[in-house]
Amino acid sequence: MGLTLAEKILKAHTVDGAFEKGREIGLKIDQTLTQDATGTMAYIEFEAMGIGQVKTERSVAYIDHNTLQSGFENADDHRFIASVAKKHGIWYSRPGNGICHQVHLERFGAPGKTLIGSDSHTPTGGGIGMIAIGAGGLDVAVAMGGGAYYITYPKIVRVTLTGKLSPWVAAKDVILKLLSIMSVKGGVGKIIEYAGEGVKTLTVPERATITNMGAELGATTSIFPSDENTLAFLRAEGREDVYVPLSADPDAVYDEEIEIDLSALEPMAACPHSPDSVKTLSEINAEAEGGKMKIDQVCIGSCTNSSLADMMKVAHILRGKTVHPDVSLSVSPGSKQVLTMMAENGALADILGAGARVLESACGPCIGMGQSPNSGGISLRTFNRNFEGRSGTRDAKVYLVSPEVAAASAIAGYLADPRELGDMPVFFLPEKFTVSDNMITPPAPASEAEKVEILRGPNIKEYPKTAPLADHLRAECSLKVGDNITTDHIMPAGAKILPLRSNIPAISRHCFAVCDESFPDRALALGQSIVVGGANYGQGSSREHAALAPLYLGVKAVIVKSFARIHRQNLINAGILPLEFARPEDYDEIERGDILAVEDLREQIAAGDTVTVKNLTKGKSFVTNCPLSARMKEILLSGGLLDYTKANLGK
Ligand code: MIC
Ligand code: SF4
């Protein structure tokens, strides 16, 4: 039986476990990436493990999230990361060089390699045929130390693309379509593999938009074959030497198949507050007063849509026009490379000429670092997430759209269909990009690593205290939340909170702020407690802070209907019990304030896949599922991955 493309790469990298469906496999990781918002913690953990030089082929530390520097905290974190990188063999991409996923695709990614990154949009690398997976910082730290990265052998979904995109319909519309089919939880435990004739019609930046936003499906990763278009992209980067052609075997067997006819797609938008709330532009406008949805803000950029090709289309639409007086338009190109080429070819002048506010090449508004909309404002963004509150304005309404829709709407002042603009210009990728790696600092030679001093600021605090799993647990339910709780609910980001990413005691004051501001005080007062939630709990970001803040606040277990992949792993890594109701109805029987208890917890974990919980307040018991591999059981029993790794280092 033939193998799918994903299976070929996974198989070639499996170093632990049997390569069988549903089993846990340990993967050799070729490359890692971190960004600054998760990176400080990842490097604090890496240091705590006492590993010298990284053992990967390539590890890169990017600075792209926290670049406002409204206080000393960000600058201190950057200096810390730069010094750790220099000492331990990690390449350092300085602030201003661009968004990690865009720069990694341009400068380091390679077909057939494995990459894990402490950011959920790491699957962007699937656009050039990598197995690129988002993970918690601790998992990345372990991989940098040469440890395997464990996943459950995923289901493989074949998405067959036929036809060709019509003018003004974009790669963004392909992934929005898939989100409308699969939903934000449809990809959990799956790899999305693209195939079919339509693949050839998509360039690498378009493929990367699609694999990037595969994160919103909850998928483990997404991948495109490596072909002529991959070669053209790598050649333009001066990196054709890493090219290898890759595709699935003709007789590969898939667990699920979906077909999308590119020719049948039309411009769409994801409506507030979920990336899978997808409607066509005409459907949205039809619901608006006067048949046109007025807008207040447009933001173009983020790791989803900030390539040169995206920017060229935007420049074309804006050329000679002026942004509507009621709209604020910001544009953040994905990398220094993109911005430089826009400056060279005049696109930047077109964008500036129209009155756009050009921001630096970084995540910026996507993570709430500035550009929060006005109260109740309507914002069109080319980003990948529109969770409630993420923009920094609680009652703002964020719609996710393609750069074409964004630019056309910025001029019109309402949600506009770019197809009304007439002929679409054909934009060919240049044969050579303007390449300069002068903002990427190489590490010190291993022989000089000893001498490099690690520079820490006062905001950088240690990893929270952990303890081996207790034998008996008795704790109050300190919070009960509903379905689709995102990590932006659990541990919000934004300009005020992001600078605290290396200070768990301080950041935990904001834990669950979007749902219940009194949670941190209540949890601390209780000493230890349990959080209860609904389906797809922890979707979104890879931030392990969504586990570390609860750990610091004394959360011992989280009981939900179902978990998102990365967050569940982060809970295990932090030593917090991830339990799933065996009967979803049991969720309804628990109230905040109920006292819950688990007897012989260590024994139950060691013995099987279920844990029985007693609700002492209601006088009832219920069963929860907790399927864990033998390795994961040991991690939980030891009090988390850090303790487990320290104990097993060198074994
Ligand atoms: C995000 O898009 O939410 C982030 C910010 O990039 C996160 C990482 C983080 O929280 O630092 C992600 O997607 O993993
Ligand atoms: Fe940055 Fe936004 Fe991409 Fe996250 S999704 S890496 S915040 S640009």
Side-chain angles (χ1 to χ4, degrees), residues 408-425:
S409 306
I411 301 294
Y414 58 85
L415 179 66
D417 190 331
R419 291 175 298 181
E420 286 160 16
L421 297 174
D423 288 345
M424 188 182 82

Side-chain angles (χ1 to χ4, degrees), residues 35 64-65 99-101 119-122 124 212 216 301-304 362-368 383-385 390 541 543:
Q35 39 90 337
D64 54 1
H65 279 63
I99 306 175
C100 55
H101 309 303
D119 192 281
S120 62
H121 291 100
T122 304
T124 311
N212 169 285
E216 277 52 63
S302 93
C303 55
T304 317
C363 299
C366 180
I367 192 58
F383 308 166
N384 46 40
R385 291 187 173 142
R390 180 173 163 104
S541 154
R543 59 189 74 148

